[in-house]
Amino acid sequence: MTETHIIKEEEIAKRWQKFAHVSPYNRELGFLPHAVHTDWCVLKVEYQEALVGDPQTRVLHGGVITALLDAALGFAIFVKLPEIRPMATLDLRIDYLKPATPGRAILGGAVCYKLTAELAFVRGAAYHDKPDDPIATAVGIYMFTSGRPVLRNEDVPR
């Protein structure tokens, strides 16, 4: 990886970190950027008692994992675009493979593997340590909607 490529990824991560707090939902759940590369973007949610779905098992609610993956897939699209465009989740499939470990943070990683003028195709995983040992996997299609760009990358405060 070239130094220019690393600088670009670091800049995208800084821009996203500033933008991530614009979404009240993501902010309330505590989603934070963890890593950004053009081929794998990762958000992180720390374990919080308020997000537990079952007090008996202390496992985080499945809705938190769904929201984390939805946000991570959107994050992966964001890094491929010169501007944040309005978009809607057209199709999102999540396969839950095992419960998250109580007390541990969860990472949500994703890649946008195909962009067209109207659609973005993404896939990802929620995991603790490695994406190849997932808690859940996701595939999604996002549709760009009409309207002007929500925000251009260069307009995000540095």
Side-chain angles (χ1 to χ4, degrees):
M1 191 179 315
T2 67
E3 186 175 329
T4 304
H5 188 70
I6 292 168
I7 291 169
K8 181 181 178 202
E9 290 179 354
E10 288 173 357
E11 183 63 27
I12 291 169
K14 286 177 189 174
R15 290 179 191 176
W16 175 259
Q17 193 148 14
K18 291 174 182 175
F19 177 76
H21 295 292
V22 171
S23 167
Y25 188 68
N26 291 349
R27 187 174 57 239
E28 186 65 27
L29 290 173
F31 297 164
L32 294 172
H34 182 70
V36 60
H37 307 284
T38 53
D39 60 344
W40 190 250
C41 300
V42 184
L43 297 178
K44 180 179 185 178
V45 61
E46 294 291 344
Y47 183 86
Q48 303 167 51
E49 291 292 332
L51 302 179
V52 168
D54 181 351
Q56 297 287 348
T57 64
R58 297 183 47 246
V59 172
L60 287 186
H61 193 284
V64 174
I65 294 171
T66 297
L68 178 66
L69 286 169
D70 191 24
L73 272 56
F75 182 24
I77 296 166
F78 169 78
V79 301
K80 297 283 190 183
L81 299 172
E83 57 198 14
I84 299 173
R85 297 174 55 194
M87 63 182 167
T89 308
L90 187 60
D91 183 41
L92 179 62
R93 176 192 168 115
I94 299 181
D95 293 321
Y96 289 90
L97 306 173
K98 65 180 181 181
T101 304
R104 296 201 57 201
I106 300 174
L107 300 172
V111 61
C112 177
Y113 61 92
K114 175 75 174 170
L115 272 176
T116 71
E118 296 177 358
L119 301 171
F121 299 84
V122 285
R123 59 181 163 244
Y127 56 96
H128 290 300
D129 299 311
K130 301 177 293 186
D132 60 350
D133 184 22
I135 295 163
T137 59
V139 292
I141 303 171
Y142 291 70
M143 179 180 68
F144 298 111
T145 59
S146 61
R148 61 181 180 71
V150 175
L151 190 63
R152 295 181 192 289
N153 278 337
E154 63 269 11
D155 293 339
V156 177
R158 290 171 167 72

